Amino acid sequence: MQKLRQVLVKIEQQISSGRRPLIVFDLDSTLFNVSPRTAAIVADFIQSIESNSDLHEHAQILKKAQFLRKDWGLKESLLRLRAEFEDQSKAPFPPEFLEGLRHFWRARFFSNDYLVHDQPYEGAVEFAHRLEKVGCEIFYLTGRDVPSMGSGTEKIMVHWGFPRAVLNKTLFLKPDANRADETFKVEWFNSVQHKQDEVWVFENEPWNIQMLRAKYDYFNYVFFNSTHSRRVPEPLDVFVIEDYLLDDL
């Protein structure tokens, strides 16, 4: 039986026994593929420098970059691009160019402006509705912050049709960008009155899972295998999924 099916079966068994599971989804790289966001930002960066004769050659090379589901930020895509050059002495890019690209990307990636490019993973919207239909309580808990990404996040959740996505009611972002993601998530669970007997956490970042498990080892954890920071190894003793596809959805 596929892992996602096992998750659903266990949740339905909990409901049949009179419990109401609390489902908590992360967003970036858990419900949404954010690689298209990075691709759009880099495309705008290229457009901004193409008319500069000193940077035109770099812009043409950067156009070849591909941004994949497993990429974490810009690093992997730029390394693949560098590997295409047999003569490493001519490999892109000079340090000042890379610094400008990273600054351009960071200023836009963590903002409302480019969230429209995020794409839900296959079956994500349908699976969330399936959980709501069978009687789960659904929340969204993300390391995005309210000042920079709050309005765009709520808008894109509604656009894609995720159920019950209301900012500060069922959709929770950090109050500011300086707070560490794992600290914010642990504090959020500390503040929630758990009337439910079962809590399910869907998360792509092993570090966040590790920090949550240190206090809430009785939660049910689902690791979404997309990309992550590589701070700690991927958890192998939890449910591991790579999409939200079920045969009957």
Side-chain angles (χ1 to χ4, degrees), residues 210-226:
Q210 181 171 303
M211 293 299 99
L212 284 169
R213 291 180 85 178
K215 183 163 187 178
Y216 298 108
D217 61 347
Y218 55 91
F219 284 1
N220 302 278
Y221 293 92
V222 181
F223 172 60
F224 191 82
N225 186 18
S226 57

Side-chain angles (χ1 to χ4, degrees), residues 41-42 45 48 62 74 78 95-111 114:
I41 294 169
V42 173
F45 176 76
S48 74
L62 188 56
L74 295 169
L78 294 178
E96 59 273 17
F97 180 86
L98 289 175
E99 183 58 30
L101 171 59
R102 293 190 184 104
H103 178 78
F104 188 96
W105 172 83
R106 178 169 288 277
R108 290 157 179 80
F109 188 83
F110 301 102
S111 74
Y114 287 80

Side-chain angles (χ1 to χ4, degrees), residues 15 37 106 119 128 146 152-153 164 182 187 189 203 222 232:
I15 292 171
R37 191 196 316 174
R106 178 169 288 277
Q119 296 286 323
V146 172
T153 297
R164 291 173 43 79
E182 68 276 10
E187 289 175 348
F189 277 108
E203 172 71 62
V222 181
V232 296

Side-chain angles (χ1 to χ4, degrees), residues 13-239:
Q13 289 173 343
Q14 292 167 354
I15 292 171
S16 296
S17 65
R19 290 169 283 179
R20 189 188 184 194
L22 173 69
I23 311 295
V24 182
F25 286 108
D26 177 51
L27 297 186
D28 290 344
S29 300
T30 296
L31 288 182
F32 287 100
N33 180 0
V34 300
S35 294
R37 191 196 316 174
T38 287
I41 294 169
V42 173
D44 283 355
F45 176 76
I46 292 170
Q47 186 176 25
S48 74
I49 65 171
E50 272 192 301
S51 61
N52 185 327
S53 58
D54 294 332
L55 300 177
H56 182 77
E57 182 179 354
H58 296 322
Q60 300 312 303
I61 295 172
L62 188 56
K63 283 182 179 180
K64 300 177 182 179
Q66 294 182 313
F67 304 96
L68 308 178
R69 165 181 165 138
K70 288 286 187 179
D71 291 346
W72 181 255
L74 295 169
K75 182 177 180 180
E76 282 89 356
S77 58
L78 294 178
L79 286 174
R80 285 194 302 272
L81 200 58
R82 181 182 181 89
E84 295 182 14
F85 286 73
E86 294 182 6
D87 183 354
Q88 292 297 300
S89 66
K90 297 181 180 180
F93 297 98
E96 59 273 17
F97 180 86
L98 289 175
E99 183 58 30
L101 171 59
R102 293 190 184 104
H103 178 78
F104 188 96
W105 172 83
R106 178 169 288 277
R108 290 157 179 80
F109 188 83
F110 301 102
S111 74
N112 288 306
D113 299 339
Y114 287 80
L115 296 181
V116 66
H117 297 283
D118 290 359
Q119 296 286 323
Y121 288 111
E122 288 186 289
V125 176
E126 295 81 2
F127 184 69
H129 278 282
R130 175 69 170 264
L131 294 178
E132 183 188 42
K133 184 177 180 179
V134 299
C136 297
E137 186 172 7
I138 297 177
F139 288 91
Y140 307 94
L141 182 66
T142 171
R144 300 176 182 186
D145 67 277
V146 172
S148 299
M149 307 179 80
S151 61
T153 297
E154 184 176 38
K155 183 182 296 184
I156 203 67
M157 295 291 286
V158 172
H159 168 78
W160 285 110
F162 281 99
R164 291 173 43 79
V166 181
L167 190 62
N168 296 324
K169 292 185 178 180
T170 57
L171 171 61
F172 294 92
L173 287 71
K174 297 189 299 187
D176 61 79
N178 295 323
R179 189 169 304 185
D181 292 2
E182 68 276 10
T183 301
F184 167 67
K185 291 189 175 189
V186 170
E187 289 175 348
W188 184 85
F189 277 108
N190 290 345
S191 68
V192 173
Q193 295 297 317
H194 299 302
K195 297 180 180 179
Q196 294 82 354
D197 298 305
E198 300 290 347
V199 176
W200 289 81
V201 178
F202 288 72
E203 172 71 62
N204 71 290
E205 178 53 67
W207 177 249
N208 291 341
I209 292 176
Q210 181 171 303
M211 293 299 99
L212 284 169
R213 291 180 85 178
K215 183 163 187 178
Y216 298 108
D217 61 347
Y218 55 91
F219 284 1
N220 302 278
Y221 293 92
V222 181
F223 172 60
F224 191 82
N225 186 18
S226 57
T227 188
H228 57 83
S229 66
R230 282 74 161 171
R231 292 177 69 179
V232 296
E234 297 174 357
L236 301 178
D237 58 342
V238 301
F239 291 103

